[in-house]
Amino acid sequence: MFPERAQLLVMVLDLLGVFAFALSGALVGVRKKFDIFGVLVLAGATGLGGGIIRDLMIGAVPPAALTDWWYLLVPLLAGLITFLFHRVVDRLETWVVFFDALGLGLFCAVGTIKALGHELTLLPAVLMGVVTAAGGGIVRDLLAHRVPIVFRGELYAIPALAGAVVTGIGVQLGWGSLVPAGAGLIVAITWRLLAVRRGWSAPIALHTPSGQPDDH
Amino acid sequence: MFPERAQLLVMVLDLLGVFAFALSGALVGVRKKFDIFGVLVLAGATGLGGGIIRDLMIGAVPPAALTDWWYLLVPLLAGLITFLFHRVVDRLETWVVFFDALGLGLFCAVGTIKALGHELTLLPAVLMGVVTAAGGGIVRDLLAHRVPIVFRGELYAIPALAGAVVTGIGVQLGWGSLVPAGAGLIVAITWRLLAVRRGWSAPIALHTPSGQPDDH
Amino acid sequence: MFPERAQLLVMVLDLLGVFAFALSGALVGVRKKFDIFGVLVLAGATGLGGGIIRDLMIGAVPPAALTDWWYLLVPLLAGLITFLFHRVVDRLETWVVFFDALGLGLFCAVGTIKALGHELTLLPAVLMGVVTAAGGGIVRDLLAHRVPIVFRGELYAIPALAGAVVTGIGVQLGWGSLVPAGAGLIVAITWRLLAVRRGWSAPIALHTPSGQPDDH
């Protein structure tokens, strides 16, 4: 997928992203007073969920998360650290947000490239990039029994979409994989971090009825 | 799966069903005040979710939704239209209910036939028909953080089951695919529209405890 | 997977486990006042959900639940019985807890062995054992719109993990499949039943903030 020299770098960055995602999942679990199993499941589901859904959908089974021990050890570690030292992790929020943005950027780029490598065309491949980047957070919120925050104005998926589009078009133009991935990653991370810093949010529809949403 | 002349007709009807399902998903998203991304995800998940689950389970990967652009463009369009003009869509409810019933009928018939074509026997194939028809709505409600309405008395899955049974038995009897699909579709749509018009609902168990359900 | 003479025994025990899981799912559905369709879906999802997720992830499609009628008939039966006679089922709770523990033990052992047979290494195979055992209950709670009880201190997944580890190590040591499965099963069931009887629960993190968890 990537030139051999770059493989290790991509994998290390990818695992950093998994680690950051897993921390965010584990923190939600601790705040919900989940037990150790719940915290570890949330760590794993958040760190690996997006990639697993992508792999199931493109037919890459067993998913990468099950064939390389690192992909199980990293979220396990993130979960245990958060379970034991959640007050410290909580205070490192700036770092978590930064690594989370790194994960977002990497996941959308890597997911798009992997999907293109499985003979998907541009539009579905971009969609798989977004699924890789945003899927883990959605699974986390489903398991934690709350509305996915990525649907509630948090500007998260749109930077991932932009990164996936840049990556996908770059690959289609024949620029290899490393340059498009780098460009997509930079677009997604920059946009995401600007959104966090400036409090940008995604638009909601105008004139929605006021009062309680229908919550039967 | 279908005779060549019928392929186009089936696909157009199928896309109409996807469109109606996607509208219903997008409307839920707007009412929940989800942002544009949330509305589009709900549109896509409702329109395509049932078929994707079916395809993953019968081993038809990548799912049809990822190999044909129309299946991504139609829910995207439905989501955007609803996001921009939800008050209009809201007022067209009668039409949405009708197209939704059309989708229900088509999805249960097409899903059953596709499963039979992947060497499933009658009972699992019928189940896959019901999953195709009712899965999208269940995914929609999970993502929107509400109890699936299809579990709460809404007479929805039972017409789909009837349609899937009729379709499956017809195919097993050697009647080809078009006649059984047509018969199953008519049974499901008719039953569904009668249920809507007359307020029929699915039975719940007798003597259930009164008061709040255990909602920890 | 198992020696031929043992196949029937394993399958009968497996179906007993599916039956118990399905009862627990159906009871939740009845208590939530779901209609007949909702009760049957909860029965099927609880009884078969863990195995289906495992099979999708290891690439064993269509999942066993779709290729052998017994795996559809047993949860259907459990769902119908519960729907009609839920007050009786409710009163048999001791038996349900026992069979549920039997299912837990069997599922973690069988799931681990099946995953090892699909060329997964020890750690992912153990994980698949836990997914087989605990996945159905998580799916049940997602569909029933409640927090997965397996995350809330209920000592359930940890016995499954122990059973999966024992099974997996036994198989890796070359002890065949029957002895490791038996050992894993006994570990998981014993631990689970002791936990129920003595009210053991899984640990939650220290110093979690008091007050309401962030439930936006």
Side-chain angles (χ1 to χ4, degrees):
Chain A
M1 192 155 95
F2 288 101
E4 205 160 320
R5 284 179 311 165
Q7 289 278 22
L8 186 66
L9 175 69
V10 170
M11 187 173 162
V12 169
L13 290 175
D14 200 32
L15 287 171
L16 261 180
V18 170
F19 189 76
F21 275 40
L23 283 185
S24 93
L27 270 179
V28 170
V30 168
R31 283 179 191 147
K32 287 258 181 181
K33 299 185 189 302
F34 284 1
D35 62 32
I36 175 77
F37 175 72
V39 171
L40 292 179
V41 168
L42 277 191
T46 313
L48 307 173
I52 289 176
I53 296 174
R54 175 203 63 215
D55 284 350
L56 291 183
M57 290 189 61
I58 64 177
V61 286
L66 292 186
T67 52
D68 186 331
W69 281 42
W70 281 105
Y71 283 92
L72 293 181
L73 289 178
V74 163
L76 189 68
L77 201 68
L80 285 176
I81 289 173
T82 308
F83 187 79
L84 295 172
F85 311 112
H86 58 93
R87 291 198 293 192
V88 180
V89 175
D90 236 350
R91 244 172 285 137
L92 298 174
E93 211 196 322
T94 317
W95 286 98
V96 174
V97 166
F98 177 77
F99 283 119
D100 184 84
L102 180 65
L104 183 77
L106 264 155
F107 284 12
C108 71
V110 169
T112 304
I113 288 174
K114 186 161 185 185
L116 287 171
H118 277 74
E119 308 196 11
L120 263 59
T121 51
L122 184 59
L123 182 58
V126 163
L127 181 66
M128 288 300 100
V130 177
V131 164
T132 311
I138 294 174
V139 172
R140 174 196 66 208
D141 293 341
L142 289 183
L143 291 172
H145 194 62
R146 64 182 206 180
V147 176
I149 58 171
V150 70
F151 297 164
R152 298 296 288 267
E154 175 94 2
L155 199 68
Y156 197 86
I158 292 173
L161 175 63
V165 166
V166 168
T167 304
I169 290 178
V171 172
Q172 295 285 61
L173 290 177
W175 296 353
S177 58
L178 213 53
V179 172
L185 185 148
I186 289 169
V187 166
I189 293 180
T190 310
W191 195 343
R192 171 62 186 157
L193 289 179
L194 280 172
V196 170
R197 163 142 317 195
R198 307 214 171 155
W200 293 342
S201 64
I204 72 163
L206 297 173
H207 312 299
T208 53
S210 63
Q212 285 304 305
D214 68 330
D215 223 331
H216 30 221
Chain B
M1 195 154 91
F2 288 101
E4 205 159 320
R5 284 180 309 163
Q7 288 280 21
L8 186 66
L9 175 69
V10 170
M11 187 172 163
V12 169
L13 291 174
D14 200 33
L15 287 171
L16 261 179
V18 170
F19 189 77
F21 275 41
L23 284 185
S24 93
L27 270 179
V28 170
V30 167
R31 285 179 190 148
K32 287 259 181 182
K33 299 186 190 301
F34 285 179
D35 61 32
I36 175 74
F37 175 71
V39 171
L40 292 179
V41 168
L42 277 191
T46 313
L48 306 174
I52 290 177
I53 296 174
R54 176 203 61 215
D55 283 351
L56 292 183
M57 291 189 60
I58 64 177
V61 286
L66 293 186
T67 51
D68 186 330
W69 281 42
W70 281 105
Y71 284 93
L72 293 180
L73 289 179
V74 164
L76 189 68
L77 200 68
L80 286 176
I81 289 173
T82 309
F83 187 78
L84 295 172
F85 311 111
H86 57 93
R87 290 198 292 191
V88 179
V89 175
D90 236 351
R91 246 173 285 138
L92 298 173
E93 212 196 322
T94 317
W95 287 98
V96 174
V97 167
F98 177 77
F99 283 120
D100 185 84
L102 180 66
L104 182 78
L106 264 155
F107 285 11
C108 71
V110 169
T112 304
I113 288 175
K114 185 160 185 184
L116 287 171
H118 277 73
E119 308 195 12
L120 263 60
T121 50
L122 183 60
L123 182 59
V126 162
L127 182 66
M128 288 299 100
V130 176
V131 164
T132 311
I138 294 174
V139 173
R140 172 197 66 208
D141 292 342
L142 290 182
L143 291 173
H145 194 62
R146 64 182 203 179
V147 176
I149 59 169
V150 69
F151 297 164
R152 298 298 286 268
E154 175 94 2
L155 199 68
Y156 196 86
I158 292 173
L161 175 63
V165 166
V166 167
T167 305
I169 290 179
V171 172
Q172 296 285 62
L173 290 176
W175 296 353
S177 58
L178 211 53
V179 172
L185 185 149
I186 288 169
V187 167
I189 293 180
T190 310
W191 194 343
R192 171 62 185 156
L193 290 179
L194 280 172
V196 170
R197 163 144 316 194
R198 308 214 171 155
W200 292 342
S201 65
I204 74 163
L206 297 173
H207 312 299
T208 54
S210 62
Q212 285 303 306
D214 68 330
D215 223 332
H216 28 219
Chain C
M1 192 155 95
F2 288 101
E4 205 160 321
R5 286 179 310 163
Q7 288 280 22
L8 186 67
L9 175 69
V10 170
M11 187 174 162
V12 169
L13 290 174
D14 201 32
L15 287 171
L16 261 179
V18 170
F19 188 77
F21 275 40
L23 283 185
S24 93
L27 269 178
V28 170
V30 168
R31 284 180 191 147
K32 287 258 180 182
K33 299 185 190 299
F34 284 0
D35 62 33
I36 175 75
F37 175 72
V39 170
L40 291 179
V41 168
L42 277 190
T46 314
L48 306 173
I52 289 176
I53 296 174
R54 176 204 62 215
D55 284 350
L56 292 183
M57 291 188 62
I58 65 178
V61 284
L66 292 186
T67 52
D68 186 331
W69 281 42
W70 281 104
Y71 283 93
L72 293 181
L73 288 178
V74 163
L76 189 69
L77 200 69
L80 285 176
I81 290 173
T82 308
F83 187 78
L84 294 173
F85 311 111
H86 57 92
R87 291 197 293 191
V88 179
V89 175
D90 235 351
R91 246 173 284 139
L92 298 173
E93 209 195 322
T94 317
W95 286 99
V96 175
V97 166
F98 177 77
F99 283 120
D100 184 85
L102 180 66
L104 183 78
L106 264 156
F107 285 10
C108 71
V110 169
T112 304
I113 289 175
K114 186 161 186 185
L116 287 170
H118 278 73
E119 307 195 12
L120 263 61
T121 51
L122 184 59
L123 182 58
V126 163
L127 181 66
M128 286 301 100
V130 177
V131 164
T132 312
I138 294 173
V139 172
R140 174 197 64 210
D141 292 342
L142 290 183
L143 291 173
H145 194 63
R146 63 182 207 181
V147 175
I149 59 170
V150 69
F151 297 165
R152 298 298 286 268
E154 175 94 1
L155 199 67
Y156 197 87
I158 292 173
L161 175 63
V165 166
V166 167
T167 305
I169 290 178
V171 172
Q172 295 286 60
L173 290 176
W175 296 353
S177 57
L178 212 54
V179 172
L185 184 149
I186 289 168
V187 167
I189 293 180
T190 310
W191 195 342
R192 171 62 186 157
L193 289 178
L194 281 171
V196 170
R197 164 144 314 195
R198 308 214 170 156
W200 292 342
S201 64
I204 72 162
L206 298 172
H207 312 299
T208 53
S210 63
Q212 285 304 304
D214 68 330
D215 223 331
H216 29 220

